[in-house]
Amino acid sequence: MDLHINLSAGKNLSAEIYRQVRHAIADGRLRPGDCLPASRDLARSLRVSRTTVTVAYDRLVGEGFLISRVGAGTYVSDHFKPAVNKTRESTKDALSARHIWESVSVNKPFERKAKFDFRSGLPDVSMFPHDAWRRLINREMRLEIKTRGIYEYAAGVMSLREAIARHIGVSRGVQTSAEDVTITNGAQQALDVIGRCLIESGDVVAVEDPGYTPPIQLFKSLGARVKGVQVDEQGIVVDALPRDTRLVYVTPSHQYPLGVTMSLPRRLALLEWAAQHNVAIIEDDYDSEFRFEERPLEPLLTLDNSGRVIYVGSFSKTLLPTLRLGFLVTPSSLTLAVHKVKYVSDWHTPTVPQAALARFIDDGGFARHIRKVGRVYAERRELIKDILNRDFARLLTVAPSIAGLHISALTELTSEEIAATVERGFAQGVAVQQLARFAVEHPPRVGLMFGYGAIQTDQIREGLKRLGACLPDSASLC
C-alpha cells in the first residue's frame, strides 16, 4: 500500500519516519497484517536514502511494531492491538453545527431484527426480481463502457424520465412530459430539492399531523417553520391551514401514518385554497401502486389547473429501498430551477441503475412485478384486517384504508400502554410501530401500524397472536 509520510518539518528524517509509522499503527490506520512498502520503494517516494528508511524500520521491528519476513516484506505485527482512534482530539470542539441539527436524530428503524416484522415502509425483498435485475445491470454496464461513462444531465437519464412519464400516465392518469420529470436519490432527495427551490428561511411549511418524520426534519433544517395540521377521515383539514403557509406537504392517496385517503371534496378544497393563497403543494404518492378497494381517486396533480402541485414518487416501496431511486414531476415554471438545485446537490443520480430501471419499465417487467406482489400484499392485508377485527376488536379499531403497504388501528389505551406493548412485542420477536411517534404538534393519536410487506403470509397468525399476548388486558381480546 502507499504510505503517506510528511518530512517537510523533520530534521532527523529516520526518526520522523519512525514516529509517523508508529502513530499510524497505534491509532489503527495501519492494521495488524498490513504490508508496508519495501524500504527501497519508500526511500524512492520520499527521496531519501534507503538507509534512512531501513533504520526506521529496524527500530520499529525491534520494538515489536513490525515484523520483517525475509523475501516476503515488512508487516504490522499481529500482536499489536491498536488503541481507539483519538485523531484530532485537540480540535474536536473547534467547529459546531447549526443548532437545528441537535433536534434531528439519525434513526436506524430497522436495525433491530424481528422474526415477525409488521413495520411499515418495507417491501418483500424476497419477491424482488434479482436475476432479471442483475441481467439488466450487466447489460447497462457493458453499454456504459461502449457508449457512455460520462457525466449525465442533472435531471437524469432521458430514457428513465420518458419511461416514468409513460408509466404514471397510464397507471395514475398523470399527464406530463419527460422534460418535467427529475430523477432523484429516493423521495427524500426529491423533497430536499423542492425545499431548496422554494423555501426561504422563516417560511411556513404545513404538514399533516400525524405525519412522516423525515420530511418534517428536512424542512426544519432548511429554515422553515413547520406547522402540523390535523388529519380527519377525509385527509388534511384545509380550514386549519395557516394563512401564511408557503408550502403544503401531503400524502393524499394513503396518508402516512393513519392510512386514510383524502376525499375528492377535500382535494378540491385544498387546490382551491392553494390557488387563493399562492401556495405550492407537494403530493407524496409513495405507495399508491398498491390499491385494494374501490376505484382509485385522481391524484392532486391531475386535478390541478393552476400549476401548484409538485408530484413525488418512489421505487423504494415497489422495488427495493436500497436502490434509492425516486422522482418528481414539476410544473414547467419550476423545472429548470429544480434541475439547477439537483445539479448543485450531487450533479445527478447514478446512471446505470437509472438505465436498467428504464429498460425494466419499458419491457413490462415493472408492471408484471407490481401485479405479482400486489396479489400477495392483498392477501396479507385481508388476513391482518380479519384477525384484528375478530380477535382485537375490544382494544383496536382498524382505520379505513384502500391502498398502500400498511394499515393502522386506533385504541383507547394510553400512549404509555402502547409503547410498553411495542417493547414487549420486540422481546417476543414481533416488530410493530406506534402511531404516537408521528405526532407533530397536536396530541398524539394512539394506536399501532401494521405493515404487510416484510411479514410472510404464513407468519401473520403467529405474529399477531404473540402481539395480542403483549397488550394490556389481553385476556379480554376475544
Side-chain angles (χ1 to χ4, degrees):
M1 67 169 64
D2 292 333
L3 182 60
H4 177 78
I5 293 178
N6 182 5
L7 298 181
S8 59
K11 294 183 180 179
N12 187 334
L13 300 183
S14 183
E16 193 64 25
I17 294 171
Y18 161 83
R19 184 186 68 79
Q20 292 188 36
V21 172
R22 178 174 174 172
H23 283 180
I25 296 172
D27 64 26
R29 285 175 288 146
L30 286 173
R31 300 167 299 176
D34 280 350
C35 181
L36 270 67
S39 57
R40 180 179 285 103
D41 294 338
L42 184 58
R44 185 183 303 112
S45 67
L46 295 178
R47 295 178 182 174
V48 298
S49 71
R50 184 182 180 188
T51 301
T52 299
V53 176
T54 302
V55 169
Y57 276 14
D58 287 346
R59 183 177 174 186
L60 290 163
V61 169
E63 294 180 1
F65 290 96
L66 300 179
I67 297 175
S68 180
R69 300 171 184 166
V70 178
T74 303
Y75 298 82
V76 178
S77 172
D78 292 332
H79 303 296
F80 186 81
K81 302 285 187 184
V84 176
N85 194 335
K86 296 184 179 180
T87 305
R88 304 182 70 179
E89 273 288 320
S90 61
T91 62
K92 67 178 182 179
D93 295 324
L95 298 174
S96 59
R98 292 164 51 213
H99 291 303
I100 183 63
W101 297 110
E102 296 175 3
S103 64
V104 176
S105 59
V106 183
N107 294 323
K108 296 182 179 180
F110 307 113
E111 187 174 32
R112 296 174 69 181
K113 304 302 180 182
K115 181 178 180 180
F116 306 95
D117 200 339
F118 291 97
R119 286 174 288 194
S120 65
L122 293 175
D124 191 331
V125 176
S126 68
M127 291 195 291
F128 178 75
H130 290 89
D131 292 339
W133 187 255
R134 189 179 300 110
R135 288 192 294 270
L136 289 168
I137 291 292
N138 289 339
R139 177 184 183 278
E140 296 305 325
M141 285 297 296
R142 290 193 295 270
L143 291 175
E144 190 82 8
I145 294 172
K146 295 179 181 178
T147 63
R148 291 194 291 268
I150 59 176
Y151 289 109
E152 180 58 71
Y153 181 58
V157 173
M158 181 54 75
S159 61
L160 179 56
R161 296 162 68 192
E162 292 172 342
I164 289 173
R166 287 191 296 271
H167 169 68
I168 61 177
V170 172
S171 66
R172 299 294 283 135
V174 171
Q175 295 183 5
T176 186
S177 69
E179 294 296 331
D180 291 327
V181 176
T182 302
I183 309 303
T184 60
N185 297 315
Q188 186 71 5
Q189 191 190 37
L191 299 175
D192 183 47
V193 168
I194 297 167
R196 290 169 182 262
C197 185
L198 293 179
I199 297 173
E200 300 279 1
S201 180
D203 282 349
V204 172
V205 175
V207 301
E208 298 164 322
D209 189 358
Y212 188 41
T213 305
I216 294 171
Q217 295 178 327
L218 168 64
F219 297 139
K220 287 181 177 180
S221 76
L222 295 174
R225 292 181 291 139
V226 175
K227 300 294 184 182
V229 180
Q230 287 183 306
V231 174
D232 63 17
E233 66 278 1
Q234 295 190 63
I236 194 168
V237 179
V238 175
D239 292 341
L241 287 165
R243 295 183 63 84
D244 57 348
T245 297
R246 166 67 171 152
L247 178 68
V248 180
Y249 169 73
V250 289
T251 53
S253 294
H254 187 229
Q255 199 277 330
Y256 193 93
L258 296 178
V260 301
T261 298
M262 189 183 295
S263 68
L264 181 57
R266 190 64 61 84
R267 292 173 188 238
L268 296 174
L270 177 59
L271 290 170
E272 182 181 359
W273 187 91
Q276 290 175 351
H277 293 81
N278 191 28
V279 172
I281 300 172
I282 298 177
E283 177 179 17
D284 189 347
D285 210 25
Y286 65 100
D287 65 357
S288 67
E289 287 87 353
F290 306 114
R291 299 187 292 270
F292 308 106
E293 299 175 17
E294 307 174 8
R295 295 182 62 184
L297 287 172
E298 298 293 324
L300 282 172
L301 182 58
T302 65
L303 303 170
D304 177 25
N305 296 318
S306 59
R308 305 247 162 231
V309 176
I310 304 161
Y311 183 90
V312 172
S314 171
F315 294 96
S316 294
K317 309 299 184 291
T318 52
L319 293 174
L320 284 178
T322 50
L323 291 181
R324 303 308 303 142
L325 285 172
F327 64 93
L328 58 99
V329 178
T330 46
S332 297
S333 59
L334 283 183
T335 296
L336 180 57
V338 162
H339 293 175
K340 292 177 180 179
V341 175
K342 172 65 175 170
Y343 170 72
V344 301
S345 295
D346 67 350
W347 201 319
H348 62 76
T349 296
T351 58
V352 171
Q354 287 188 61
L357 180 55
R359 178 72 60 174
F360 189 52
I361 295 173
D362 286 342
D363 289 348
F366 183 67
R368 289 192 295 273
H369 175 70
I370 294 297
R371 288 194 296 269
K372 174 185 175 182
V373 299
R375 289 191 292 269
V376 175
Y377 294 153
E379 180 184 3
R380 295 176 185 174
R381 176 178 179 274
E382 285 304 308
L383 182 56
I384 292 173
K385 283 181 62 179
D386 289 345
I387 294 174
L388 292 179
N389 287 329
R390 184 189 68 223
D391 298 340
F392 292 71
R394 292 192 181 182
L395 292 181
L396 299 177
T397 302
V398 177
S401 176
I402 64 173
L405 279 178
H406 77 271
I407 56 176
S408 295
L410 301 173
T411 181
E412 296 294 329
L413 297 173
T414 66
S415 294
E416 292 74 19
E417 289 173 321
I418 288 296
T421 297
V422 170
E423 286 304 312
R424 287 193 293 267
F426 259 116
Q428 296 299 316
V430 183
V432 291
Q433 294 160 293
Q434 54 178 320
L435 289 172
R437 63 188 293 261
F438 298 102
V440 183
E441 293 183 10
H442 297 88
R445 306 291 286 273
V446 183
L448 294 170
M449 301 170 65
F450 296 89
Y452 35 84
I455 183 81
Q456 296 300 305
T457 307
D458 59 4
Q459 294 179 318
I460 289 175
R461 294 184 186 277
E462 177 63 23
L464 292 180
K465 179 181 178 181
R466 294 190 183 196
L467 180 66
C470 297
L471 281 162
D473 195 22
S474 57
S476 67
L477 283 175
C478 301

